[in-house]
Amino acid sequence: QVQLVESGGGLVQAGGSLRLSCAASGSIFSISTMGWYRQAPGKQRELVALIIGRDSTNYADSVKGRFTISRDNAKNTVYLQMNSLKPEDTAVYYCNLSGNRYGLAYVYWGQGTQVTVSS
């Protein structure tokens, strides 16, 4: 069983920065794709950023150039550095771990951390 624990959310003014962390238990972290998703009130959950393997990354267009996803396999932790934050970045941010092992797909979610950006 894998557990994901997010931290680092909070309240910040527009233009500010936050760094989210997601610590994973278990032994499959290094072989898994890690992602950050977010869900704003009344909206569907959307992909923010993915890191595949050691350093292959994908970003939503809305965060390109402002957010950076990274991982530390030694610490079983994935990070999301968020700069130049905007009020529209306000959402609950969820960590996601996914992959395929022995032919079986798996996906795990964290409990979410609130990010609020004031104007």
Side-chain angles (χ1 to χ4, degrees):
Q1 185 70 14
V2 173
Q3 289 188 326
L4 303 175
V5 179
E6 299 112 331
S7 61
L11 173 65
V12 64
Q13 288 188 331
S17 298
L18 284 173
R19 188 174 84 152
L20 305 183
S21 299
C22 173
S25 64
S27 60
I28 58 174
F29 178 86
S30 63
I31 65 171
S32 300
T33 295
M34 300 300 302
W36 286 97
Y37 292 72
R38 67 187 181 187
Q39 187 166 18
K43 295 187 177 181
Q44 289 189 335
R45 191 172 297 188
E46 63 176 2
L47 174 67
V48 176
L50 282 176
I51 184 163
I52 304 164
R54 181 176 296 181
D55 56 9
S56 177
T57 57
N58 289 313
Y59 295 94
D61 288 343
S62 59
V63 307
K64 282 181 181 177
R66 300 188 297 122
F67 290 11
T68 302
I69 188 171
S70 61
R71 68 193 297 166
D72 185 337
N73 287 344
K75 296 181 179 179
N76 276 16
T77 301
V78 62
Y79 305 97
L80 185 68
Q81 177 66 44
M82 304 185 294
N83 298 328
S84 302
L85 282 160
K86 304 175 181 180
E88 51 264 43
D89 294 318
T90 295
V92 178
Y93 284 70
Y94 296 91
C95 177
N96 171 279
L97 180 153
S98 64
N100 188 299
R101 195 179 193 194
Y102 306 130
L104 296 176
Y106 57 85
V107 59
Y108 296 93
W109 292 92
Q111 81 286 354
T113 185
Q114 177 71 46
V115 171
T116 303
V117 184
S118 63
S119 58

